[in-house]
Amino acid sequence: MTSRVRWLIVGLIAIATVINYIDRNALAVMWPEIAPEVGATKEDYALLVSVFMVFYAAGQFGFGKIFDAIGVRLGFAVSIGAWSISIALHALANSILSFAVVRALLGFSEAGAWPGAVKANAEWFPARERALAQGVFNAGASIGAIVSAPLIALLYLWLDWKGTFLLVGALGFVWLLPWWIVHSAGPDKHPWVNAAERALILDRSAEVPAADADAYVPNLRQLLRHRQTWGIALSRFLLDPIWWLFVSWLPIYLAETFGFDIKQIGIFGWVPFVGAMLGSLLGGWLSGRLIAAGQPIGRARKLVVTAGGLIMAPCLIAAPMMTDPTLAVVVIAGVLFGFQIAIGNIQTLPGDLFDRRAVGSLAGFSGMAAVAGTLITTWLVPVMTQDSYGPIFILVAALVPLSLLAVWYVIGPVARVAAPTAQTKDT
């Protein structure tokens, strides 16, 4: 009988991601009440989102290198410990400047979850299970977004905003104890992993064929010489702004478009992320099924990414036409459903293309590109939403086909990348 330690590991990482999203969404949900207290405007909120994203980009890059250097176990402990302290410090903020400082700390430290998850995925799962494992991890982000709006609204009504920040800051420290116990070693030495599971995890026969018998572990400079690196980065530069538009601005959109207060935001704001959770799981399951049915790994990933794009774009165009808040959040749920179907498979590609020892660095670099794209849309939101949110929705809808072109034609054929002197391709 095969043990299931790998699923326990990814389950804990998914829980960490739930906490991650509760922490980061707390400010957005409570902003309609915090803003008048600190004398802030919509432009000030865009500034805080931008500060968070700039430092999130730096954290993606920095923690990618950190996880490659110190490993998954200690890397996650450092990341979640730092972001838990950062969110608790929000209780001390009393101006835009002080909020900017704590958002910067939070952005840098929270970014570690993503390169860490991609690296853990590559270490703990065989190729055919990686997209599903990534989907479980991404579902944690969606669940965090689902529970954050009603949870934060409830805590705000009980504790006010300062007490809410302190309480959610404690969640990460509660998580650290089981993580440190469960992830006591890698899959090759973990005492809970039996021989059958170890053989499954360490079996590389089902992976994308290597182009070179010698292991190629590129450093960052070498990674940047490969079109595959730039294809992944470009696809995320174009696609991730869609996710962040709703993570950062959905409560503000509901307040401005439908006149919602915090209680109403708590009632409606979770609905779109149910679609995201379902898309996370479906996207991972579907690519695994295609691979099991005989599709090459690269083709399976790209087909599922394309399916997600074909769902996203029409929903983005339809969303601003909805005049009823229930219909609006349901259509936005369709947007995030398609987004998560696509993004989980894009995030899995680094492990298909490069040796697992370089995956953290590539995940961090592509995450930094994703943040760069998000910053542009963040700066555009206050300018383009003076009368309605329709223009910004249409803009990000136009990014979807461009991201699909990056996946199909910039990344090119999916093959295990070898040293530049001895590359081959596998369709």
Side-chain angles (χ1 to χ4, degrees):
M1 183 176 179
T2 304
S3 56
R4 294 288 187 271
V5 178
R6 65 196 187 281
W7 294 108
L8 182 57
I9 295 292
V10 79
L12 279 172
I13 295 174
I15 292 171
T17 315
V18 172
I19 298 170
N20 186 297
Y21 267 77
I22 292 172
D23 290 359
R24 77 173 58 180
N25 286 356
L27 181 66
V29 173
M30 295 188 289
W31 186 250
E33 300 297 331
I34 294 174
E37 189 170 329
V38 298
T41 65
K42 188 175 181 180
E43 287 73 20
D44 290 327
Y45 179 75
L47 174 64
L48 293 179
V49 173
S50 298
V51 168
F52 178 92
M53 296 307 301
V54 167
F55 282 86
Y56 191 81
Q60 289 270 349
F61 179 76
F63 270 101
K65 301 295 290 183
I66 288 170
F67 272 91
D68 281 340
I70 68 176
V72 169
R73 186 188 192 216
L74 183 56
F76 266 107
V78 170
S79 178
I80 196 167
W83 92 54
S84 298
I85 293 171
S86 300
I87 193 64
L89 288 174
H90 282 56
L92 303 178
N94 57 12
S95 66
I96 293 302
L97 177 60
S98 54
F99 270 113
V101 171
V102 292
R103 293 309 282 181
L105 295 173
L106 183 69
F108 186 88
S109 52
E110 281 202 336
W114 270 257
V118 173
K119 186 174 180 66
N121 190 349
E123 289 181 353
W124 279 90
F125 288 87
R128 66 179 179 272
E129 292 182 343
R130 283 182 195 152
L132 180 56
Q134 190 69 34
V136 171
F137 165 71
N138 285 344
S142 303
I143 293 170
I146 290 168
V147 303
S148 63
L151 176 64
I152 297 301
L154 180 63
L155 291 177
Y156 171 82
L157 294 173
W158 177 38
L159 297 171
D160 208 341
W161 63 270
K162 293 180 182 289
T164 299
F165 281 128
L166 288 172
L167 186 57
V168 297
L171 295 176
F173 293 103
V174 174
W175 178 89
L176 275 173
L177 180 60
W179 171 255
W180 202 252
I181 293 171
V182 171
H183 199 299
S184 59
D188 55 335
K189 298 180 180 178
H190 200 292
W192 299 356
V193 176
N194 65 18
E197 185 178 23
R198 184 170 290 112
L200 175 67
I201 294 170
L202 300 179
D203 179 16
R204 305 298 175 183
S205 62
E207 294 200 356
V208 174
D212 192 326
D214 296 327
Y216 173 50
V217 186
N219 57 32
L220 180 61
R221 180 176 296 181
Q222 291 169 324
L223 279 171
L224 296 181
R225 296 173 184 168
H226 297 287
R227 62 182 283 187
Q228 293 90 341
T229 298
W230 292 101
I232 291 172
L234 181 59
S235 66
R236 296 203 57 193
F237 173 85
L238 294 165
L239 206 59
D240 276 62
I242 297 170
W243 174 254
W244 285 100
L245 175 66
F246 295 105
V247 168
S248 299
W249 292 95
L250 181 63
I252 316 300
Y253 161 76
L254 292 174
E256 293 187 351
T257 304
F258 301 108
F260 280 8
D261 58 21
I262 288 183
K263 182 179 179 181
Q264 290 169 308
I265 290 170
I267 293 171
F268 281 81
W270 60 273
V271 174
F273 297 99
V274 174
M277 178 187 67
L278 296 175
S280 298
L281 298 174
L282 179 62
W285 174 84
L286 184 56
S287 68
R289 291 291 296 174
L290 290 174
I291 293 167
Q295 286 284 349
I297 290 174
R299 188 179 300 277
R301 305 271 195 245
K302 291 178 180 182
L303 287 173
V304 177
V305 170
T306 303
L310 292 175
I311 296 170
M312 257 185 290
C315 289
L316 279 165
I317 294 169
M321 302 177 189
M322 302 296 109
T323 56
D324 177 80
T326 301
L327 291 176
V329 295
V330 169
V331 173
I332 294 171
V335 174
L336 299 187
F337 176 74
F339 175 86
Q340 287 293 347
I341 286 175
I343 200 66
N345 284 274
I346 294 173
Q347 291 172 332
T348 305
L349 284 170
D352 297 328
L353 292 164
F354 291 95
D355 186 278
R356 61 187 177 87
R357 289 167 289 181
V359 163
S361 296
L362 177 52
F365 176 73
S366 61
M368 188 170 61
V371 171
T374 301
L375 280 173
I376 296 172
T377 56
T378 297
W379 297 329
L380 290 174
V381 168
V383 177
M384 299 181 70
T385 59
Q386 296 296 321
D387 299 317
S388 79
Y389 279 72
I392 195 69
F393 282 22
I394 299 301
L395 174 65
V396 296
L399 300 178
V400 175
L402 297 177
S403 68
L404 296 181
L405 289 174
V407 168
W408 281 96
Y409 299 109
V410 181
I411 294 174
V414 175
R416 181 70 72 179
V417 177
T421 56
Q423 290 192 20
T424 60
K425 297 180 179 180
D426 173 57
T427 58

CSV table of all heavy atoms in Angstrom, one decimal, residues 159-196:
chain,number,residue,atom,x,y,z
A,159,LEU,N,-14.3,43.1,16.5
A,159,LEU,CA,-13.1,43.6,17.0
A,159,LEU,C,-12.6,44.9,16.5
A,159,LEU,O,-11.6,45.5,17.0
A,159,LEU,CB,-11.9,42.6,16.8
A,159,LEU,CG,-12.1,41.2,17.4
A,159,LEU,CD1,-11.0,40.3,16.8
A,159,LEU,CD2,-12.0,41.3,18.9
A,160,ASP,N,-13.3,45.5,15.5
A,160,ASP,CA,-12.8,46.6,14.7
A,160,ASP,C,-11.6,46.2,13.9
A,160,ASP,O,-11.1,45.1,14.0
A,160,ASP,CB,-12.5,47.8,15.7
A,160,ASP,CG,-12.7,49.2,15.0
A,160,ASP,OD1,-12.7,49.2,13.7
A,160,ASP,OD2,-12.8,50.2,15.6
A,161,TRP,N,-11.0,47.2,13.1
A,161,TRP,CA,-10.0,46.8,12.2
A,161,TRP,C,-8.7,46.5,12.8
A,161,TRP,O,-7.9,45.6,12.4
A,161,TRP,CB,-9.9,47.8,11.1
A,161,TRP,CG,-9.4,49.2,11.4
A,161,TRP,CD1,-10.2,50.2,11.8
A,161,TRP,CD2,-8.1,49.7,11.4
A,161,TRP,NE1,-9.5,51.4,12.0
A,161,TRP,CE2,-8.2,51.1,11.8
A,161,TRP,CE3,-6.8,49.1,11.2
A,161,TRP,CZ2,-7.0,51.9,11.9
A,161,TRP,CZ3,-5.7,49.9,11.2
A,161,TRP,CH2,-5.8,51.3,11.6
A,162,LYS,N,-8.3,47.2,13.9
A,162,LYS,CA,-7.0,46.9,14.5
A,162,LYS,C,-7.0,45.5,15.2
A,162,LYS,O,-6.0,44.8,15.0
A,162,LYS,CB,-6.7,48.0,15.6
A,162,LYS,CG,-6.5,49.4,15.0
A,162,LYS,CD,-6.2,50.4,16.1
A,162,LYS,CE,-6.0,51.8,15.5
A,162,LYS,NZ,-4.7,51.9,14.8
A,163,GLY,N,-8.0,45.2,15.9
A,163,GLY,CA,-8.1,43.8,16.5
A,163,GLY,C,-8.1,42.7,15.5
A,163,GLY,O,-7.5,41.6,15.7
A,164,THR,N,-8.8,43.0,14.3
A,164,THR,CA,-8.8,42.0,13.2
A,164,THR,C,-7.4,41.7,12.7
A,164,THR,O,-7.1,40.5,12.5
A,164,THR,CB,-9.7,42.5,12.1
A,164,THR,OG1,-11.1,42.7,12.6
A,164,THR,CG2,-9.8,41.5,11.0
A,165,PHE,N,-6.6,42.7,12.5
A,165,PHE,CA,-5.3,42.5,12.0
A,165,PHE,C,-4.5,41.7,13.0
A,165,PHE,O,-3.7,40.8,12.6
A,165,PHE,CB,-4.6,43.9,11.7
A,165,PHE,CG,-5.0,44.5,10.4
A,165,PHE,CD1,-5.4,45.8,10.4
A,165,PHE,CD2,-4.9,43.8,9.2
A,165,PHE,CE1,-5.8,46.4,9.2
A,165,PHE,CE2,-5.3,44.4,8.0
A,165,PHE,CZ,-5.7,45.7,8.0
A,166,LEU,N,-4.6,42.0,14.2
A,166,LEU,CA,-3.8,41.2,15.2
A,166,LEU,C,-4.2,39.8,15.3
A,166,LEU,O,-3.4,38.9,15.3
A,166,LEU,CB,-4.0,41.8,16.6
A,166,LEU,CG,-3.4,43.2,16.9
A,166,LEU,CD1,-3.8,43.8,18.2
A,166,LEU,CD2,-1.8,43.1,16.9
A,167,LEU,N,-5.5,39.5,15.2
A,167,LEU,CA,-6.0,38.1,15.3
A,167,LEU,C,-5.6,37.3,14.1
A,167,LEU,O,-5.1,36.2,14.2
A,167,LEU,CB,-7.5,38.1,15.4
A,167,LEU,CG,-8.1,36.7,15.7
A,167,LEU,CD1,-7.5,36.0,16.9
A,167,LEU,CD2,-9.6,36.8,15.8
A,168,VAL,N,-5.7,37.9,12.8
A,168,VAL,CA,-5.3,37.1,11.7
A,168,VAL,C,-3.8,36.9,11.6
A,168,VAL,O,-3.3,35.9,11.0
A,168,VAL,CB,-5.9,37.7,10.4
A,168,VAL,CG1,-7.4,37.7,10.3
A,168,VAL,CG2,-5.3,39.1,10.1
A,169,GLY,N,-3.0,37.8,12.2
A,169,GLY,CA,-1.6,37.6,12.3
A,169,GLY,C,-1.2,36.4,13.1
A,169,GLY,O,-0.1,35.8,12.8
A,170,ALA,N,-2.0,35.9,14.0
A,170,ALA,CA,-1.7,34.8,14.8
A,170,ALA,C,-1.9,33.5,14.1
A,170,ALA,O,-1.3,32.4,14.4
A,170,ALA,CB,-2.6,34.8,16.1
A,171,LEU,N,-2.6,33.5,13.0
A,171,LEU,CA,-2.9,32.2,12.3
A,171,LEU,C,-1.7,31.5,11.7
A,171,LEU,O,-1.6,30.3,11.8
A,171,LEU,CB,-3.9,32.5,11.1
A,171,LEU,CG,-5.3,33.0,11.5
A,171,LEU,CD1,-6.1,33.3,10.2
A,171,LEU,CD2,-6.0,32.0,12.4
A,172,GLY,N,-0.7,32.3,11.2
A,172,GLY,CA,0.5,31.7,10.6
A,172,GLY,C,1.3,31.0,11.6
A,172,GLY,O,1.9,29.9,11.3
A,173,PHE,N,1.4,31.5,12.8
A,173,PHE,CA,2.2,30.8,13.9
A,173,PHE,C,1.5,29.5,14.3
A,173,PHE,O,2.2,28.6,14.7
A,173,PHE,CB,2.4,31.8,15.0
A,173,PHE,CG,3.3,33.0,14.7
A,173,PHE,CD1,2.7,34.2,14.5
A,173,PHE,CD2,4.6,32.8,14.5
A,173,PHE,CE1,3.5,35.3,14.1
A,173,PHE,CE2,5.4,33.9,14.2
A,173,PHE,CZ,4.9,35.1,14.0
A,174,VAL,N,0.2,29.5,14.3
A,174,VAL,CA,-0.5,28.2,14.6
A,174,VAL,C,-0.1,27.1,13.5
A,174,VAL,O,0.1,26.0,13.8
A,174,VAL,CB,-2.0,28.4,14.6
A,174,VAL,CG1,-2.8,27.1,14.7
A,174,VAL,CG2,-2.4,29.4,15.7
A,175,TRP,N,0.0,27.6,12.3
A,175,TRP,CA,0.4,26.7,11.2
A,175,TRP,C,1.8,26.1,11.3
A,175,TRP,O,2.0,25.0,10.8
A,175,TRP,CB,0.2,27.4,9.8
A,175,TRP,CG,0.5,26.6,8.6
A,175,TRP,CD1,-0.3,25.8,7.9
A,175,TRP,CD2,1.8,26.6,7.9
A,175,TRP,NE1,0.4,25.3,6.8
A,175,TRP,CE2,1.7,25.7,6.8
A,175,TRP,CE3,3.0,27.2,8.2
A,175,TRP,CZ2,2.7,25.4,6.0
A,175,TRP,CZ3,4.1,26.9,7.3
A,175,TRP,CH2,3.9,26.0,6.2
A,176,LEU,N,2.7,26.9,11.8
A,176,LEU,CA,4.1,26.5,11.8
A,176,LEU,C,4.4,25.2,12.5
A,176,LEU,O,5.3,24.4,12.1
A,176,LEU,CB,4.9,27.6,12.4
A,176,LEU,CG,5.4,28.8,11.5
A,176,LEU,CD1,6.0,29.9,12.3
A,176,LEU,CD2,6.3,28.2,10.4
A,177,LEU,N,3.7,24.9,13.6
A,177,LEU,CA,4.0,23.7,14.4
A,177,LEU,C,3.7,22.4,13.6
A,177,LEU,O,4.7,21.6,13.4
A,177,LEU,CB,3.2,23.7,15.7
A,177,LEU,CG,3.4,22.4,16.6
A,177,LEU,CD1,4.9,22.3,17.0
A,177,LEU,CD2,2.5,22.5,17.8
A,178,PRO,N,2.5,22.2,13.0
A,178,PRO,CA,2.4,21.0,12.2
A,178,PRO,C,3.3,20.9,11.0
A,178,PRO,O,3.7,19.8,10.6
A,178,PRO,CB,0.9,21.0,11.8
A,178,PRO,CG,0.5,22.4,12.0
A,178,PRO,CD,1.3,22.9,13.1
A,179,TRP,N,3.6,22.1,10.4
A,179,TRP,CA,4.5,22.1,9.2
A,179,TRP,C,5.9,21.6,9.6
A,179,TRP,O,6.5,20.7,8.9
A,179,TRP,CB,4.6,23.5,8.6
A,179,TRP,CG,5.7,23.6,7.6
A,179,TRP,CD1,6.9,24.2,7.8
A,179,TRP,CD2,5.7,23.1,6.3
A,179,TRP,NE1,7.7,24.1,6.6
A,179,TRP,CE2,6.9,23.4,5.7
A,179,TRP,CE3,4.7,22.4,5.5
A,179,TRP,CZ2,7.2,23.1,4.3
A,179,TRP,CZ3,5.0,22.1,4.2
A,179,TRP,CH2,6.2,22.4,3.6
A,180,TRP,N,6.4,22.0,10.7
A,180,TRP,CA,7.7,21.6,11.1
A,180,TRP,C,7.8,20.1,11.5
A,180,TRP,O,8.8,19.5,11.3
A,180,TRP,CB,8.2,22.5,12.3
A,180,TRP,CG,9.7,22.5,12.5
A,180,TRP,CD1,10.4,21.9,13.4
A,180,TRP,CD2,10.6,23.2,11.6
A,180,TRP,NE1,11.8,22.2,13.2
A,180,TRP,CE2,11.9,23.0,12.1
A,180,TRP,CE3,10.4,24.0,10.5
A,180,TRP,CZ2,13.0,23.5,11.5
A,180,TRP,CZ3,11.6,24.5,9.9
A,180,TRP,CH2,12.8,24.3,10.4
A,181,ILE,N,6.7,19.6,12.0
A,181,ILE,CA,6.6,18.2,12.4
A,181,ILE,C,6.5,17.3,11.1
A,181,ILE,O,7.2,16.3,10.9
A,181,ILE,CB,5.5,17.9,13.3
A,181,ILE,CG1,5.8,18.6,14.7
A,181,ILE,CG2,5.3,16.4,13.5
A,181,ILE,CD1,4.6,18.6,15.6
A,182,VAL,N,5.6,17.7,10.2
A,182,VAL,CA,5.3,16.8,9.1
A,182,VAL,C,6.4,16.9,8.0
A,182,VAL,O,6.8,15.8,7.5
A,182,VAL,CB,3.9,17.3,8.4
A,182,VAL,CG1,3.7,16.6,7.1
A,182,VAL,CG2,2.8,17.0,9.4
A,183,HIS,N,6.9,18.1,7.7
A,183,HIS,CA,8.0,18.1,6.7
A,183,HIS,C,9.4,18.0,7.4
A,183,HIS,O,10.2,18.9,7.4
A,183,HIS,CB,7.9,19.4,5.9
A,183,HIS,CG,8.6,19.4,4.6
A,183,HIS,ND1,10.0,19.2,4.5
A,183,HIS,CD2,8.2,19.5,3.3
A,183,HIS,CE1,10.4,19.2,3.3
A,183,HIS,NE2,9.3,19.4,2.5
A,184,SER,N,9.6,16.8,7.9
A,184,SER,CA,10.8,16.6,8.7
A,184,SER,C,12.0,16.2,7.8
A,184,SER,O,13.2,16.3,8.2
A,184,SER,CB,10.6,15.4,9.7
A,184,SER,OG,10.3,14.2,9.0
A,185,ALA,N,11.7,15.9,6.5
A,185,ALA,CA,12.8,15.5,5.5
A,185,ALA,C,12.2,15.5,4.1
A,185,ALA,O,11.0,15.5,4.0
A,185,ALA,CB,13.4,14.2,5.9
A,186,GLY,N,13.0,15.4,3.1
A,186,GLY,CA,12.6,15.3,1.8
A,186,GLY,C,12.0,13.9,1.5
A,186,GLY,O,12.2,13.0,2.3
A,187,PRO,N,11.5,13.7,0.3
A,187,PRO,CA,10.8,12.4,0.0
A,187,PRO,C,11.8,11.2,0.0
A,187,PRO,O,11.4,10.1,0.3
A,187,PRO,CB,10.2,12.6,-1.4
A,187,PRO,CG,10.9,13.7,-2.0
A,187,PRO,CD,11.3,14.6,-0.8
A,188,ASP,N,13.1,11.5,-0.3
A,188,ASP,CA,14.0,10.4,-0.3
A,188,ASP,C,14.4,9.8,1.1
A,188,ASP,O,14.9,8.7,1.2
A,188,ASP,CB,15.3,10.8,-1.1
A,188,ASP,CG,15.9,12.1,-0.5
A,188,ASP,OD1,15.2,12.9,0.1
A,188,ASP,OD2,17.1,12.3,-0.7
A,189,LYS,N,14.2,10.7,2.1
A,189,LYS,CA,14.6,10.3,3.5
A,189,LYS,C,13.5,10.4,4.5
A,189,LYS,O,13.7,10.1,5.7
A,189,LYS,CB,15.8,11.2,3.9
A,189,LYS,CG,17.0,11.0,3.1
A,189,LYS,CD,18.2,11.9,3.6
A,189,LYS,CE,19.4,11.8,2.7
A,189,LYS,NZ,20.5,12.7,3.2
A,190,HIS,N,12.3,10.8,4.1
A,190,HIS,CA,11.3,11.0,5.1
A,190,HIS,C,10.8,9.7,5.7
A,190,HIS,O,10.5,8.7,5.0
A,190,HIS,CB,10.0,11.7,4.4
A,190,HIS,CG,9.1,12.3,5.3
A,190,HIS,ND1,8.3,11.7,6.2
A,190,HIS,CD2,8.8,13.7,5.5
A,190,HIS,CE1,7.6,12.5,6.9
A,190,HIS,NE2,7.9,13.7,6.5
A,191,PRO,N,10.8,9.6,7.1
A,191,PRO,CA,10.5,8.4,7.7
A,191,PRO,C,9.0,7.9,7.5
A,191,PRO,O,8.7,6.7,7.7
A,191,PRO,CB,10.7,8.7,9.2
A,191,PRO,CG,10.6,10.2,9.3
A,191,PRO,CD,11.1,10.7,8.0
A,192,TRP,N,8.1,8.8,7.1
A,192,TRP,CA,6.7,8.4,6.9
A,192,TRP,C,6.5,7.9,5.5
A,192,TRP,O,5.4,7.4,5.2
A,192,TRP,CB,5.8,9.6,7.2
A,192,TRP,CG,5.8,10.1,8.6
A,192,TRP,CD1,6.6,9.6,9.6
A,192,TRP,CD2,5.1,11.2,9.1
A,192,TRP,NE1,6.4,10.3,10.8
A,192,TRP,CE2,5.5,11.3,10.5
A,192,TRP,CE3,4.3,12.1,8.6
A,192,TRP,CZ2,5.0,12.4,11.3
A,192,TRP,CZ3,3.8,13.1,9.4
A,192,TRP,CH2,4.1,13.3,10.7
A,193,VAL,N,7.4,8.1,4.6
A,193,VAL,CA,7.2,7.7,3.2
A,193,VAL,C,7.7,6.3,3.0
A,193,VAL,O,8.8,5.9,3.3
A,193,VAL,CB,8.0,8.6,2.2
A,193,VAL,CG1,7.9,8.2,0.8
A,193,VAL,CG2,7.6,10.1,2.4
A,194,ASN,N,6.7,5.4,2.6
A,194,ASN,CA,7.1,4.0,2.4
A,194,ASN,C,7.8,3.8,1.1
A,194,ASN,O,7.8,4.7,0.2
A,194,ASN,CB,5.9,3.1,2.7
A,194,ASN,CG,4.8,3.3,1.6
A,194,ASN,OD1,5.0,3.8,0.5
A,194,ASN,ND2,3.6,2.7,2.0
A,195,ALA,N,8.2,2.6,0.8
A,195,ALA,CA,9.0,2.3,-0.4
A,195,ALA,C,8.1,2.5,-1.6
A,195,ALA,O,8.7,3.0,-2.6
A,195,ALA,CB,9.5,0.8,-0.3
A,196,ALA,N,6.9,2.2,-1.6
A,196,ALA,CA,6.0,2.4,-2.8
A,196,ALA,C,5.9,3.8,-3.1
A,196,ALA,O,6.0,4.2,-4.3
A,196,ALA,CB,4.7,1.7,-2.5
